[in-house]
Amino acid sequence: MTDKLKERDFERMVREHKSTIYTVCYMFSKDRDEVQDLFQDSLINLWQGFDNFRGEAKVETWIWRVALNTCVSAERKKKRRGERVPLAMAGDLFSDTDAESKQVQQLYKCINKLDLMDRALILLWIENMSYDDMGAILGVSPKNISVKLVRVKQQLIELSRNGK
């Protein structure tokens, strides 16, 4: 494949799936700059793996896997590095204030309290992925996905009840 053809195919793939990549990145951070960094890192990792993608899985499954692995790796590095201190801003331009947005923000707060793999699993479930696709992305069997989802949903219920 020529470099121009490769670039064109990659650009088309990113255009078609950029909302998926962004959704994964947003799940792992609510800081706009950090989300952009995660998005860029995901694109770099996708580009680096583009030649090796053999089409054995669906493109969307491969993109999910790369973006999730990028975000999980960044989260682990962040925990080793310590907590970042955010800069104070006069206004919060990053979130909406209507009732539905507040509800979604509360859900994301609870989801962010889950461990990394549970967070990834619930994100895939929210996106209506099949158990087979979730298993392919996370590297576990569809049966294991079913069992894990029951446990994670119960954990989210407890987190929302406790207001933690």
Side-chain angles (χ1 to χ4, degrees):
M1 180 183 299
T2 67
D3 286 342
K4 287 290 183 192
L5 189 56
K6 177 183 172 184
E7 287 176 27
R8 191 189 75 223
D9 288 348
F10 184 77
E11 287 174 12
R12 181 182 42 75
M13 180 190 74
V14 170
R15 253 191 327 275
E16 290 173 5
H17 298 282
K18 73 179 181 181
S19 66
T20 297
I21 302 165
Y22 187 81
T23 298
V24 173
C25 297
Y26 183 77
M27 180 57 76
F28 282 85
S29 178
K30 301 300 178 273
D31 177 76
R32 182 182 298 272
D33 292 334
E34 189 175 13
V35 169
Q36 291 301 322
D37 289 345
L38 290 170
F39 186 85
Q40 290 299 320
D41 290 345
S42 295
L43 291 180
I44 289 167
N45 290 335
L46 285 164
W47 175 256
Q48 290 172 340
F50 195 62
D51 285 335
N52 297 324
F53 178 68
R54 296 181 305 271
E56 293 170 0
K58 292 188 272 184
V59 172
E60 186 176 33
T61 302
W62 176 69
I63 290 170
W64 271 96
R65 187 171 202 134
V66 171
L68 277 172
N69 286 338
T70 300
C71 293
V72 167
S73 293
E75 185 74 17
R76 287 180 179 147
K77 286 178 191 174
K78 186 168 62 171
K79 285 186 178 177
R80 284 193 302 261
R81 214 177 37 231
E83 194 67 31
R84 279 181 18 177
V85 178
L87 297 174
M89 294 179 63
D92 183 10
L93 304 176
F94 200 57
S95 62
D96 293 326
T97 57
D98 60 75
E100 185 176 330
S101 293
K102 286 182 181 180
Q103 221 174 7
V104 169
Q105 289 169 6
Q106 183 62 35
L107 174 63
Y108 281 141
K109 280 182 186 178
C110 290
I111 290 172
N112 280 326
K113 291 182 169 97
L114 299 172
D115 71 35
L116 292 176
M117 293 315 289
D118 289 347
R119 195 182 320 168
L121 176 64
I122 205 70
L123 172 62
L124 295 171
W125 179 77
I126 289 171
E127 291 293 320
N128 292 318
M129 287 263 178
S130 72
Y131 285 15
D132 288 335
D133 287 345
M134 285 188 252
I137 291 166
L138 298 174
V140 297
S141 72
K143 179 69 175 166
N144 198 334
I145 293 292
S146 173
V147 171
K148 285 179 174 278
L149 266 175
V150 170
R151 183 183 48 80
V152 171
K153 287 177 189 177
Q154 187 58 43
Q155 197 175 355
L156 283 172
I157 290 168
E158 291 300 317
L159 286 170
S160 68
R161 283 184 185 153
N162 296 332
K164 291 182 179 179

